[in-house]
Structures are given as C-alpha cells and as structure tokens.
Amino acid sequence: MAIASLYKYRHVSILFIFVIINGFYYWFRGILGVDDTERFLKSAQLLLEGDLFQSHDFWYITYCSFLGLLLKIGCYSPEVVVCIQLLVSLSATYALFFAASNFFKNEIYGFVTVGLNFLFLKMYTWNFFVLTEAFYCSFICFFLYTLSKYYSLKPVSYTHLRAHETRG
C-alpha cells in the first residue's frame, strides 16, 4: 500500500526523498572543502584574467568557468555553489526518471530506477563539495535523458535483421 502511494504521488515522492537524503547530508556533514577546491578557484580567477590554458586544470575548464561566472557576478560562496549543485542534482534526478520512463515506455520503471539511484547514497555526498564530481554525476543523468529522447523519437526498424535472417 505504501509503495502504491509513493508511486501515485511519484513526482512529489522523488522531491521528498531527495530533500530527506540531502538534508541529512547537510545536517551531519555540512559543506565540505578539499585541496582541489582552492585549485579550482585559482583556475577560475585565472580564467577571469584571460589565462585560458592551465596545465592539467584544462580538463576542468567547464567547472572552473562556472566558478568564474559566480566570481564575476559577485555571488561566489560555497553555500551558493552547493545550492546550485543541489538544484542541478534534483533536475538530474528527474531527468533520470524520465530517461528510464522513455527507455522502458513505462513510468513505473522510471520510478524504480530513481529508487535504486537513491539507494546509492554516496553519490549525493558530492553535492556538498565544491568539486566537479557533483556536476559529473548529474550530467550523466542528463545524457541518459537526451539519449532516451533520441531513441524514443527514432522509428525502430527491424527490416535489416529480417533480410539477414532470410539469407542465412
């Protein structure tokens, strides 16, 4: 009965579970910083000064550009970065729901997929670091959604398989 209720209000259920998981992480761990955070901030500052190519930091140019944008508009703080990462992560969770729903042509599978994703709690810790990993996890979900839309719009043709079977 409880599962049926969760599914009936699936969009609200996804939001509620997302808030609970991330709320617990914030309550017990807060916003975390590591050595790479300072390196990304330095690279973002250098980007703002016009120095585009930094040794191995070039691989993180998108995240450094994001931090640079926040620095440029004057609203950089770890709290702002984490809030944006949480919004992106929530959007990605819904993208994962719709991706699985598109792939399997059934929203129940989308809901189950998001439920399984919620079971991998460690993935949500990245939302509370100023690191690229938060966006990495989210953009995988966005990619899956885009892929699912591509395949749901593409007509499926099995004629090439039938032609091969008749020859063999």
Side-chain angles (χ1 to χ4, degrees), residues 77-134:
S77 74
E79 292 81 12
V80 170
V81 173
V82 166
C83 285
I84 292 171
Q85 288 177 170
L86 284 168
L87 289 173
V88 170
S89 180
L90 177 61
S91 300
T93 302
Y94 280 107
L96 183 64
F97 169 79
F98 290 118
S101 298
N102 288 339
F103 277 130
F104 298 112
K105 308 275 190 264
N106 189 333
E107 283 193 351
I108 291 174
Y109 290 116
F111 190 68
V112 169
T113 301
V114 170
L116 292 172
N117 185 51
F118 282 145
L119 292 177
F120 185 52
L121 294 171
K122 184 142 176 104
M123 184 176 73
Y124 293 97
T125 61
W126 296 117
N127 290 331
F128 296 96
F129 287 92
V130 179
L131 291 174
T132 62
E133 283 82 350

Side-chain angles (χ1 to χ4, degrees), residues 150-163:
Y150 172 76
Y151 280 110
S152 69
L153 298 175
K154 184 178 174 183
V156 177
S157 172
Y158 297 105
T159 56
H160 65 284
L161 293 176
R162 286 190 209 123

Side-chain angles (χ1 to χ4, degrees), residues 10-119:
R10 59 195 164 279
H11 299 292
V12 176
S13 299
I14 291 169
L15 175 65
F16 180 73
I17 295 168
F18 182 88
V19 168
I20 293 293
I21 290 170
N22 286 287
F24 276 121
Y25 272 120
Y26 181 72
W27 181 264
F28 289 110
R29 298 186 70 192
I31 297 172
L32 304 166
V34 292
D35 295 339
D36 284 346
T37 302
E38 291 302 318
R39 189 180 56 149
F40 291 145
L41 284 171
K42 188 183 340 177
S43 293
Q45 190 62 43
L46 289 171
L47 274 173
L48 289 175
E49 294 168 3
D51 190 3
L52 294 180
F53 298 99
Q54 294 297 312
S55 61
H56 70 282
D57 290 338
F58 180 72
W59 298 107
Y60 309 108
I61 196 164
T62 305
Y63 195 73
C64 293
S65 299
F66 161 68
L67 294 177
L69 176 68
L70 292 178
L71 286 169
K72 182 146 181 103
I73 61 176
C75 69
Y76 171 80
S77 74
E79 292 81 12
V80 170
V81 173
V82 166
C83 285
I84 292 171
Q85 288 177 170
L86 284 168
L87 289 173
V88 170
S89 180
L90 177 61
S91 300
T93 302
Y94 280 107
L96 183 64
F97 169 79
F98 290 118
S101 298
N102 288 339
F103 277 130
F104 298 112
K105 308 275 190 264
N106 189 333
E107 283 193 351
I108 291 174
Y109 290 116
F111 190 68
V112 169
T113 301
V114 170
L116 292 172
N117 185 51
F118 282 145
L119 292 177

